[in-house]
Amino acid sequence: EDPSFRLLEEERLSNLFKIIRNTLSAYEYKVWELYLSGCSTPEIAKKLNTDSKSISNAIYRIRVKLKESLNNNRND
């Protein structure tokens, strides 16, 4: 594996996580982390002490925000 390729990929990944962190609210970021770790909507709701509908809404907002943000950054 080419070290320069790995460095470039690490930089891209770092930039991606910065975009995500700056795009999502603190609550949405917590939901996103749990969702990515494989938790189901009811599991996330239980961990965050909220109802499943709130989590479903947050996941929808996350998808919309990230899609828009990533598309905007791609065009820059």
Side-chain angles (χ1 to χ4, degrees):
E1 184 176 312
D2 183 9
S4 61
F5 177 77
R6 182 177 173 162
L7 183 61
L8 184 60
E9 286 301 308
E10 287 175 5
E11 186 177 327
R12 286 181 185 160
L13 190 57
S14 175
N15 287 336
L16 176 62
F17 277 100
K18 284 178 190 175
I19 291 167
I20 292 168
R21 187 67 190 111
N22 291 330
T23 301
L24 302 178
S25 70
Y27 175 74
E28 290 166 342
Y29 191 76
K30 287 178 190 175
V31 171
W32 181 75
E33 286 182 312
L34 292 168
Y35 184 76
L36 283 184
S37 72
C39 292
S40 67
T41 299
E43 290 170 330
I44 297 170
K46 185 175 181 180
K47 288 182 183 202
L48 297 182
N49 197 26
T50 190
D51 60 292
S52 291
K53 182 68 175 168
S54 175
I55 301 302
S56 294
N57 289 339
I59 291 170
Y60 175 78
R61 285 192 314 274
I62 291 165
R63 287 180 176 156
V64 169
K65 283 182 171 184
L66 292 181
K67 183 177 180 180
E68 182 179 308
S69 181
L70 294 173
N71 282 335
N72 287 342
N73 280 292
R74 187 178 304 162
N75 295 332
D76 290 345

